[in-house]
Amino acid sequence: MAKPIVHKVISGNNGTLITYGGTSSGKTHTMLGDDQNPGVIELATKEIFETIRKDKQRSFLLRLQFIEINN
């Protein structure tokens, strides 16, 4: 689900991933994961850094932000 957004970000676009839903529906778990199942944030970050590591022709400026809003 997030991979196309990650690849757009690597191409120079801005990207946003949002989870939305009721209380106890799994939003935080989806984004953060646990020890056995990494969440979207970890998987997306790994994908970005893996792509940067492989790309020897470009330089990158990377800014990441995570915010959790309750109520």
Side-chain angles (χ1 to χ4, degrees), residues 46-69:
K46 283 181 179 179
E47 182 75 19
I48 290 168
F49 280 104
E50 183 65 23
T51 302
I52 289 171
R53 187 183 65 75
K54 290 178 182 177
D55 191 331
K56 306 294 185 199
Q57 297 178 342
R58 297 185 290 172
S59 62
F60 292 87
L61 171 63
L62 183 62
R63 295 182 185 142
L64 300 172
Q65 183 176 19
F66 168 74
I67 184 170
E68 184 173 356
I69 299 172

Side-chain angles (χ1 to χ4, degrees), residues 29-43:
H29 180 73
T30 297
M31 295 304 281
L32 299 179
D34 58 31
D35 291 339
Q36 277 70 43
N37 301 297
V40 172
I41 293 170
E42 182 177 345
L43 294 172

Side-chain angles (χ1 to χ4, degrees), residues 1 17-21 26-28 30-31 40:
M1 172 231 23
L17 298 169
I18 296 173
T19 57
Y20 178 83
K27 301 174 297 294
T28 300
T30 297
M31 295 304 281
V40 172

